[in-house]
Each structure stands twice: as C-alpha cells, then as structure tokens.
Amino acid sequence: MTNEELIARLQDIDPSISVDAGEWPNAHIEATAWPVLAPALRLCDELAFDYLFCLTCVDWKTHLTMVYHLTSTRHRHHLVVKSKLDREAPSIRTVSDIWRTAEFHEREVFEMFGVHFEEHPDLRKLILPDDWQGYPLRKDYEDPVNMIKL
Amino acid sequence: MWSFAALADLIHEELNAQLDPSWVLAVEMILVGLSAIGLFALLGLVLVLMERKVSAFMQIRLGPNRVGPAGLLQTLADTLKLLVKEGITPNGVDRLMFNGAPFIAMIAAMLLLAPIAFARDFQIWDLNIGVLYVSAVSSLNVIAILMAGWSSNNKYSLLGAMRSGAQIVSYELSAGLSVLTIVVLAGSLQMSEIVASQADGWWVFKGHVPALLAFVIFLIAATAETNRAPFDLSEAESELTAGFHTEYSGMKFALFFLAEYINVFIVCAIGATLFLGGWMPLHIGHWAGFNQVMDWIPSSIWFFGKTFFLIFVIMWFRWTFPRLRIDQLLDLEWKYLLPIGMVNILLVTAVAILGWHF
Amino acid sequence: MVEEIGTTEQGDLIINVGPQHPATHGVLHLVITLNGETVKKVEPHLGYIHRSIEKMCESLSYRQFIYSTSRMDYLSSHINNHGCALAVEKALQLEVPGRAQVIRVLMDELTRIASHVLWWGAMAMDIGAFTPFFHAFREREMINDIMEETCGARLTMNYMVPGGVMFDLHPNFYGRVKAFIRQFHKKLPEYDELVTGNTIFRSRTRGVGVLSKEDAISYGCSGPTARASGVDCDIRKLFPYEGYGKLQFEQPLATEGDTYDRYMVRMHEMRQSLSILEQLIDNIPEGDFQAKTKAVLKLPKGEFYSRVETARGEFGVYIVSEGGTTPYRIKYRSPGFSNLSALDHVVRGQKIGDLVAIMGSFDLVIPDIDR
C-alpha cells in the first residue's frame, strides 16, 4: 500500500487521527484511542502491521510522546504511531498482547520514563535496580553522582 | 624375561632374614602403600600434563611451555599452588560430608589399584575375583560425588551430583556386561589368568565381533563412568559452572581433580588388561620370530603403552565431541547400549561354548 | 530478593544463571525455574552493563555519538557505526562517495563474518565442544588484523563517520582480504566437519527450541534468529542501503525455527558474506573516501530513522532533532533486546542443557541488550 492509501485507510478506521506524510506516515492519536486502533492495525488484512520494530518514548518537557514504529511483513509498509501523554501521570494501554515484543520494550519505557502501561502482565523494572528512584531518560532527571554537567 | 618378580623376591627374602613374619608383612604393606601413593602423584602429574598437551594439539595451541623444559614442570607448579591455597569451607555446608567427599573419591580410586597387573608378576593383590572387585569398588566413586553435591549447599552442585548419580549407576550396567564377555571367554575372574589367556592373541582380536563390540561398549561406558566429555554432565561447565565441585577450592578440589585422572587411568588399565592383553606383548599365532621380537619389549612398557593409548582415545573424545543432554545420555544407555550388551553376552556365550574363538 | 533463594511451593528449584556464568557470555542474569532438569520459566534480569548510552548521546555532538555505539554490540561495531552514520546522512541529505560506500560494505561483511565465526565457536562451546572455539579464533584473528591495519582498532572500530569513512584503506588491505577469502574457503568445510555433521550436535539441536514464524514476528525477532523461522527480514535485501541492492547475494531462510536452523542460517550467511567480499574486493572504485562535511554538524529539526542489518539482526537508530548540534533524543533499537524477549517462550519445557544451546543459537551480546 502506498503512503497515500495508507493514510486514507487509517482515516477510514478513525477520522479523528491526524496523519503527517513523510518517509513513513506519522499518525497522531489520543491515548484513549489506542486500545481500539492497535488491534485494528494488527488484524486488518490490508494493513497487517504485525511487526513492532521499535517502541520508545520522548520527553518533550511539557508532555511525553509514545512512539511506535510498525511495519508489515506482508505488505512492507511502515507506520509511526505517536501518542501524547500527560507528563504528570502518563498512562496508556499496553500492546504487549498484540505485539509480544512490546512487553520488554514497555518495561524499559516504564522505568526510564515512568509511563504506566495499563493491563501490562508484568510491569516491573527490567534494567534498573529495583530500588531506583526517578526516571533517568526524562529531561529533568538529576543524578549528582553519575551525571557530569557540561 | 624382564620380570619384576626377582626384585620382589629379593626384597621379601631380605626382610624375612632380618624380621619376624608379621613385621615383614607390615613393612611390605607400607612399601606397597608408599609406592601406590607415589604412583598416584606421578600419574596425576603426567596425566594432567598429557591432557593439556593433547588438548593443545587438538586446538592448534602450544599448551604449557614455560615452566621447565617444554612445560614439563607445569603441573608440579600447579600442584604447589593448589597445596598452598586456602581450602575454603563455605557457610551452610554439611562440614563432615563436604570435607570427607574428596577423600572418599581418592580412597575409592586408590583401592582400585590393587588388582591391576602393571607388568609381568607385578601386581599388588592378585585376588581370584579381581574383575568383580573392580566393578564393585569403582561404583564407590558415585558416593563421593553425591556427598559433595548434596553437602555443598549449592543448587548447581546438587544438579550435577544427581546427574552423576543417574549416569554412573546406568553405565555401570554396560561396563559390567562388557567386562562379563571377557570373563566368559577367559573363564576366570582373576586378572592374572585373564592376562595369561591372551598369550596367543588379545581378546579384542581373538573374540570375533562380540569382543570388539564389547570393547566399544566398554570404552563408551568407561568414558561415562569417569564423567568425562562427552558425558561430563555432572560438571558440564557451560551449564552448571563446575557441577558437583563448584564449591571446592584448594587441595580439596585438587583431590577431586586427581581422582578423576586416576579413575581414567584405572578404567583404561582395566580395558587394556581385559581386551588388549594387559602386559602381554602382541603375539600373532605361530610367527615365532615376530613373537620373540615382541617379547624383547618389557612387559611394563606394553601395559603402559596400551593404557596410555586408551587414555589418549578418551582425551580425544573429550576435545572433539559436544556434550550430550541428560535424557539423551540415559536413552543411549537404556535403549541402545544395554540391549546390545545383553544380546552380545548371549553371542559371546555361544562363541565360548562352541569354541569359535581363536 | 527472598523468593530467589530456595524453592517454590510446587517444589520447583529456582536458580540464578549469571550474572557470572560460563554460558551467558557476559553479564546476563537469568532467573530460571526448574522442575528437575526441565525449565519452567526464564526471567531475564538486565542492566549489569547498562550505561545509558541513549542519555549520554543527548549531550554528544553528531560526530561523537557514533563512537558510543561501538560499545553496544561490540562484535558488529562497524555496522552499528554505519547505522548511525546513515541516520545523520539521511538528515543532512549527504551523498556518500562511491568508494566510501564500497569500503563500508566490505567492512560490514568482514565484521559479519568475524561475528559469526566467534558465535560459531561460542555456540559449540555452549554445547560442550571446546575445540571449535580455537579454530574459530584462527580465522577471526585474520579479520582483526585487517581491521587493525585500516581502522587502528581490533574491536571498537569507530571507522565510519558521517559522509564516508575516517581513513582510506591501508595498501595491504587487498592482499590481506584476498588471503582471508582463500583461507576461509578452505576452512568452512572444516567447520562443517567438526560441528555440523556431528551426530551429538545434531541430536542436541534438531527440534530443540522451536520458534514459530508467527512468534518470531510477534516477538520482534530479527536477523538470523528470525530467518531461521522463515521470516523474510534481511534489511540489506528489503530496504537496500549503501549499494547492497546491486550485489548478488542470497538471504538464507529456514523453516523449522529450531536451534539447528538458527545454526545453519548463520553458517550460510558466512558463505553469502564471503561471496559479497569476492564481488567487491576487485571492484573498489577510485575517488574520495569521505564527502566534504562541515566541522560541526547541525541536523535540521525532525525525526530520522535508519535501519541496518547487523550480525544479530535489525539495528535501528531513531534520532529526534531539535535543530541543534546534539540530538534531542536518541533511541537505539538493538536486535538482541527483542530476540531476548522470545527466550522465555522458546525455552519453556526444554531441558537445562537446551537452555544453554538455545541461548547460544540466539547469539546474544549483553552490552547490546543493556545499552
């Protein structure tokens, strides 16, 4: 599917999605729309986004943005899904039941950014020690010992 | 010719001339014990060096080459290091069992030396059930391993010990059956008689296919019984770090290490005695000239030559084969080796009764 | 952690494999639940070599941040560097000279062979054969010598820069690579004799640790691990970069997805990389090895994603730029992290010896997972 068709198809599913064209289409969604959209992306035959190759988060100081990079092993098209989250209490539905790779990636985002993934089967710290305080990849994170101000 | 009997008789007579008979016995026992321990130490040094050199040869390396000429003193230096190392007893272990296990392993290995004929007329104890004795005592080794694994308070050790228990108990059967084939052929359990029965040819050649088959089974079972790769599941470095001796250090570890090599030596010595004629030189039928030339080579050289050849084969196994998995290991024994061994013993009985062997 | 000591209610044994363990090839810590010899659950605990490279990169310039990636997957550092250079070039719309492109591909493929050769030795060692490791190092050493001469380093090369490569090739490069190609052609059949054809090896790997195609996709597996399950995922083929589209090579695919297939796919990949080397070594164009770039690189505002195929799978670099001289946020999509997430699923119900074999066949590099 070309990017134009993809954008049209996405807006069929949910007209409220705004999609930027680019190398890969960027779909901006509300966190609340994600539980409906994610299975649709995965299961719809024309889209068939079955491969979540990157999942991360960006701290924009005013808000957080979840970024999902999806591709289809059948159609070879790409889609980037972005969702703005509230910085104080970031929360979004997990996709670990749809793309199982998300389980580890979400655990990483959870400890690094403090995003809470609803219904995640095992939301614990993965990389950091269990008693770690704070979210290291946020922009305002301070660590007097390990970080050197340049 | 080339017999140690003269030397032994000389010592015996000298002692008898000076002491009363009970003291003679005591002194002789001490002498034998000392030479056994001496042999132990020497074997340990030689075998460890040999293992390292063989592995280096297989792995396109040089191996130890710094201490002494061509690295010959490397194991001596290692032993010295192990001797002066602290023998740590970790917290939470069963102290008696933990500290006792290496000694049991050593004692079991030492006891096995008794019936082995090292050369013509050179044997500590030529008891009439030599083969049975070896089979019985060699199973004691598993007790040491189980003790070490159980008492170490370490799960890796426990897993290793349990594997080892299952493994040794299973492979004991195959080893026993393959040894029995030779007993059937030779008609005796006594080591000296088994060796004597091979004066006109070794059993591995004389006994047709069944003896050859038994020899192969014996080699496999012997490798498994001594816990060496590809059957080193009780140690399994990449799975269980070091298996049953994970928690051992210093001299206690060295004793386990030594016992392993002594056990390798002993199973190879038994194999050489039963299948390859022990100290008996290579004789071919009625080729008198050839047989005479062979007789010129001292019997001890024949014995050690054959034993070290088998040791080399076992080391060769270790450095080329991948390790089996525990279920495959037991499958191999119970589904293949044991049935084959049982059929084989029927075959060999038929061969012996009908007198088909040479 | 109390629950890690002792046993569970069902009498299962919980043991720690790692962080120091011969089979984890690094500081991976797996907490495994055992029922006898059977593995019931594997739970990775990561972070023993976590350096937060992503955070560090936020304060490094676009020339500097590339070097930190050599420290992630240290066995394919060239390819990691390559991925970063590609992302920067994509953002700046830099044209890389033809010579630099060919040099990059040559280096990538040499790295791939070096990595696979090491993996081959380590995998055989995991299964219990010690000798192949040393045979593998004989060939790896030749590649390391080639790297040392041209790049000045043997492990963390730092050779790729935005716009090309850092230095031109050393004059000995051609001779050495040709000698390596000759040697490797001779030695590959030896590898097969030593390990592939061994009955014990086959019985240890066939049907062990099966990863189905659906699961491989769902777990985001990539590289040889996924290709052994039949997932067509070679970035070099699907989204060719740096002239890979013009080269003749195959993407080995298997169907079973067991340990043996993962092994075979990597063995075939070495042959393919060797054929790429043969195609390129006599056809290195003359010209610049580096495009003209400014001393301080400034990326436009936006987001840039580049994907490359490392020895372990798909490596992605996601740069979020605010228009300055340093990235606003960098995310590295490391192949090992996703592949590791499939481990628990694959290992369940297998024996503890299989766990080690499966881990070996996944070819995990721990700094790549922790980052």
Side-chain angles (χ1 to χ4, degrees):
Chain A
M1 217 186 272
T2 63
N3 284 353
E4 289 73 34
E5 286 168 351
L6 194 66
I7 293 169
R9 185 76 189 81
L10 278 173
Q11 269 154 352
D12 284 350
I13 296 174
D14 188 346
S16 69
I17 302 173
S18 68
V19 188
D20 303 344
E23 188 199 359
W24 299 334
N26 280 304
H28 299 272
I29 60 155
E30 292 295 322
T32 46
W34 189 225
V36 182
L37 184 65
L41 291 176
R42 169 76 181 77
L43 296 172
C44 174
D45 256 358
E46 292 162 76
L47 300 173
F49 285 107
D50 50 4
Y51 194 79
L52 175 71
F53 62 93
C54 191
L55 184 162
T56 190
C57 185
V58 182
D59 179 13
W60 290 103
K61 290 178 185 153
T62 51
H63 60 274
L64 301 177
T65 306
M66 283 299 297
V67 186
Y68 300 85
H69 285 81
L70 294 166
T71 184
S72 163
T73 53
R74 210 181 322 153
H75 307 303
R76 302 288 170 208
H77 49 220
H78 294 76
L79 178 68
V80 185
V81 178
K82 290 181 178 165
S83 174
K84 271 191 194 181
L85 301 181
D86 176 25
R87 201 161 181 278
E88 297 311 313
S91 175
I92 192 166
R93 168 75 166 68
T94 179
V95 288
S96 58
D97 49 345
I98 301 165
W99 299 284
R100 279 188 276 183
T101 182
E103 185 178 336
F104 271 36
H105 282 95
E106 284 178 350
R107 278 175 73 179
E108 192 193 349
V109 169
F110 163 72
E111 64 191 341
M112 296 296 180
F113 291 93
V115 178
H116 179 73
F117 291 92
E118 296 152 25
E119 296 170 53
H120 189 282
D122 187 22
L123 200 59
R124 287 178 299 133
K125 287 195 165 67
L126 177 67
I127 292 174
L128 298 175
D130 289 350
D131 55 352
W132 194 270
Q133 295 293 317
Y135 305 112
L137 282 185
R138 284 199 184 186
K139 288 285 175 185
D140 57 0
Y141 180 76
E142 293 285 340
D143 183 340
V145 181
N146 297 313
M147 277 169 68
I148 302 162
K149 278 262 176 326
L150 290 176
Chain B
M1 67 184 62
W2 303 112
S3 170
F4 286 98
L7 182 70
D9 287 344
L10 186 75
I11 295 174
H12 189 65
E13 277 164 24
E14 282 291 315
L15 285 172
N16 264 329
Q18 301 191 6
L19 301 163
D20 62 85
S22 53
W23 278 107
V24 171
L25 193 66
V27 171
E28 280 176 357
M29 278 172 88
I30 289 169
L31 278 179
V32 166
L34 281 179
S35 33
I37 291 172
L39 181 73
F40 248 63
L42 195 68
L43 273 180
L45 294 182
V46 170
L47 287 177
V48 174
L49 188 74
M50 177 175 166
E51 174 100 284
R52 295 180 68 171
K53 282 289 187 189
V54 168
S55 74
F57 169 66
M58 306 263 170
Q59 296 172 342
I60 44 176
R61 298 184 285 122
L62 290 175
N65 62 351
R66 283 287 176 273
V67 188
L72 284 174
L73 300 180
Q74 181 67 48
T75 36
L76 203 65
D78 286 346
T79 318
L80 200 67
K81 180 202 74 177
L82 285 168
L83 269 172
V84 296
K85 260 178 109 169
E86 185 187 358
I88 299 167
T89 309
N91 284 337
V93 303
D94 186 331
R95 298 187 83 88
L96 180 70
M97 292 229 276
F98 183 81
N99 291 320
F103 293 99
I104 297 216
M106 268 315 267
I107 290 166
M110 265 189 181
L111 285 177
L112 280 172
L113 277 183
I116 290 172
F118 290 98
R120 190 190 298 267
D121 304 321
F122 192 76
Q123 199 171 359
I124 298 174
W125 185 23
D126 187 18
L127 77 172
N128 56 356
I129 49 158
V131 174
L132 194 63
Y133 172 86
V134 167
S135 298
V137 175
S138 66
S139 355
L140 283 180
N141 193 27
V142 70
I143 295 177
I145 292 176
L146 282 175
M147 272 169 73
W150 179 257
S151 65
S152 285
N153 191 24
N154 179 316
K155 290 169 195 164
Y156 285 122
S157 303
L158 185 64
L159 277 171
M162 290 302 145
R163 282 177 173 193
S164 177
Q167 177 183 339
I168 294 183
V169 168
S170 312
Y171 278 84
E172 195 85 330
L173 293 169
S174 276
L177 281 178
S178 54
V179 165
L180 268 188
T181 57
I182 299 306
V183 173
V184 169
L185 285 171
S188 171
L189 286 165
Q190 198 165 357
M191 286 286 183
S192 57
E193 280 190 28
I194 291 175
V195 174
S197 71
Q198 303 182 66
D200 54 345
W202 306 344
W203 279 123
V204 71
F205 301 133
K206 284 204 302 180
H208 291 296
V209 181
L212 199 63
L213 208 58
F215 182 56
V216 172
I217 293 179
F218 181 83
L219 263 188
I220 297 173
T223 317
E225 268 203 75
T226 47
N227 286 324
R228 286 178 63 85
F231 306 102
D232 63 340
L233 284 115
S234 63
E235 288 169 42
E237 197 209 320
S238 56
E239 294 160 27
L240 304 177
T241 57
F244 67 92
H245 60 61
T246 306
E247 293 291 346
Y248 283 88
S249 62
M251 208 53 209
K252 278 181 269 181
F253 164 74
L255 287 182
F256 270 123
F257 198 61
L258 195 56
E260 180 192 323
Y261 283 98
I262 301 298
N263 276 327
V264 171
F265 174 80
I266 284 165
V267 293
C268 289
I270 307 276
T273 309
L274 296 179
F275 296 95
L276 303 180
W279 50 260
M280 202 56 90
L282 176 65
H283 284 175
I284 300 178
H286 306 294
W287 297 12
F290 177 81
N291 290 351
Q292 211 154 21
V293 172
M294 288 293 138
D295 281 342
W296 269 95
I297 302 172
S299 56
S300 53
I301 293 200
W302 276 108
F303 174 78
F304 280 101
K306 289 168 192 174
T307 308
F308 274 85
F309 168 71
L310 289 185
I311 293 175
F312 174 75
V313 171
I314 284 188
M315 285 182 181
W316 192 359
F317 285 170
R318 171 163 181 183
W319 296 109
T320 41
F321 285 137
R323 186 183 303 119
L324 279 104
R325 206 169 55 210
I326 184 74
D327 55 327
Q328 293 169 343
L329 178 93
L330 297 178
D331 276 0
L332 176 68
E333 165 64 18
W334 293 98
K335 289 190 184 161
Y336 300 100
L337 293 186
L338 190 63
I340 293 174
M342 283 177 159
V343 172
N344 195 37
I345 204 151
L346 281 179
L347 265 177
V348 88
T349 316
V351 167
I353 291 171
L354 298 171
W356 282 353
H357 60 84
F358 295 112
Chain C
M1 279 177 271
V2 176
E3 86 274 15
E4 282 173 26
I5 304 165
T7 53
T8 63
E9 288 135 32
Q10 292 85 31
D12 297 336
L13 207 59
I14 299 174
I15 67 175
N16 288 296
V17 175
Q20 295 293 334
H21 188 278
T24 54
H25 304 302
V27 282
L28 179 63
H29 180 190
L30 302 173
V31 179
I32 62 176
T33 311
L34 285 178
N35 182 1
E37 284 266 340
T38 312
V39 179
K40 285 179 86 177
K41 196 175 134 203
V42 174
E43 199 188 308
H45 285 202
L46 303 178
Y48 288 89
I49 191 160
H50 176 68
R51 294 143 295 179
S52 203
I53 288 179
E54 290 172 9
K55 183 84 174 177
M56 267 195 261
C57 288
E58 288 174 11
S59 54
L60 294 176
S61 78
Y62 287 112
R63 283 193 186 282
Q64 292 169 327
F65 88 103
I66 294 178
Y67 306 140
S68 64
T69 56
S70 301
R71 276 81 185 166
M72 287 163 48
D73 181 353
Y74 51 83
L75 290 179
S76 35
S77 57
H78 264 313
I79 313 179
N80 286 357
N81 293 166
H82 195 168
C84 296
L86 279 179
V88 175
E89 282 152 17
K90 200 176 193 175
L92 293 173
Q93 287 166 339
L94 263 178
E95 192 65 41
V96 180
R99 183 177 173 82
Q101 291 201 3
V102 172
I103 294 175
R104 281 178 171 189
V105 172
L106 273 172
M107 288 301 185
D108 281 5
E109 295 312 315
L110 278 172
T111 311
R112 198 180 314 279
I113 292 177
S115 169
H116 281 354
V117 160
L118 178 65
W119 154 84
W120 177 77
M123 161 120 190
M125 200 148 83
D126 285 343
I127 289 189
F130 289 86
T131 303
F133 194 72
F134 292 89
H135 287 244
F137 260 73
R138 176 183 51 195
E139 272 74 62
R140 191 178 147 78
E141 191 63 21
M142 292 183 82
I143 298 181
N144 277 347
D145 287 344
I146 296 170
M147 297 296 181
E148 190 180 8
E149 225 167 33
T150 294
C151 319
R154 292 164 70 86
L155 198 66
T156 51
M157 266 62 115
N158 306 337
Y159 183 57
M160 314 273 181
V161 293
V165 293
M166 198 180 265
F167 319 105
D168 205 354
L169 292 174
H170 192 274
N172 287 348
F173 183 81
Y174 309 93
R176 278 185 187 261
V177 171
K178 278 182 180 159
F180 171 75
I181 291 171
R182 274 198 305 277
Q183 162 94 347
F184 204 54
H185 266 305
K186 258 191 286 175
K187 295 300 174 189
L188 262 173
E190 226 174 73
Y191 285 18
D192 281 336
E193 276 172 38
L194 202 53
V195 175
T196 320
N198 189 299
T199 323
I200 300 177
F201 177 79
R202 284 181 183 223
S203 61
R204 277 294 304 273
T205 50
R206 281 235 167 113
V208 168
V210 177
L211 179 66
S212 70
K213 186 174 178 181
E214 289 69 37
D215 286 335
I217 293 173
S218 181
Y219 278 110
C221 295
S222 54
T225 309
R227 283 197 284 281
S229 306
V231 186
D232 166 24
C233 62
D234 194 332
I235 306 294
R236 294 176 294 170
K237 276 273 179 206
L238 297 176
F239 312 103
Y241 53 94
E242 232 55 289
Y244 269 113
K246 283 177 267 170
L247 294 167
Q248 297 291 318
F249 68 101
E250 279 165 29
Q251 171 187 207
L253 281 179
T255 47
E256 299 292 320
D258 56 5
T259 307
Y260 184 74
D261 275 358
R262 286 190 281 274
Y263 172 87
M264 285 314 282
V265 163
R266 286 199 172 86
M267 293 305 276
H268 284 303
E269 244 177 44
M270 284 199 254
R271 291 199 167 78
Q272 296 306 324
S273 296
L274 198 60
S275 115
I276 295 178
L277 288 182
E278 281 173 333
Q279 288 169 44
L280 288 180
I281 187 65
D282 287 323
N283 301 314
I284 306 177
E286 293 299 317
D288 289 335
F289 58 88
Q290 209 183 77
K292 294 257 179 303
T293 46
K294 284 182 191 145
V296 177
L297 298 175
K298 226 174 182 178
L299 259 61
K301 197 167 182 300
E303 291 167 13
F304 311 98
Y305 196 104
S306 76
R307 309 166 82 178
V308 286
E309 180 77 18
T310 73
R312 259 145 286 278
E314 176 186 339
F315 175 70
V317 184
Y318 177 52
I319 302 180
V320 180
S321 164
E322 280 284 79
T325 55
T326 58
Y328 184 76
R329 162 102 173 98
I330 278 200
K331 160 79 185 171
Y332 296 117
R333 186 260 189 231
S334 70
F337 190 73
S338 298
N339 288 354
L340 177 74
S341 66
L343 184 68
D344 178 43
H345 174 75
V346 169
V347 166
R348 279 186 192 209
Q350 307 277 354
K351 298 274 179 288
I352 184 169
D354 292 335
L355 165 74
V356 175
I358 293 167
M359 249 168 24
S361 74
F362 270 49
D363 194 11
L364 302 172
V365 166
I366 316 308
D368 174 44
I369 295 168
D370 279 358
R371 283 158 287 145

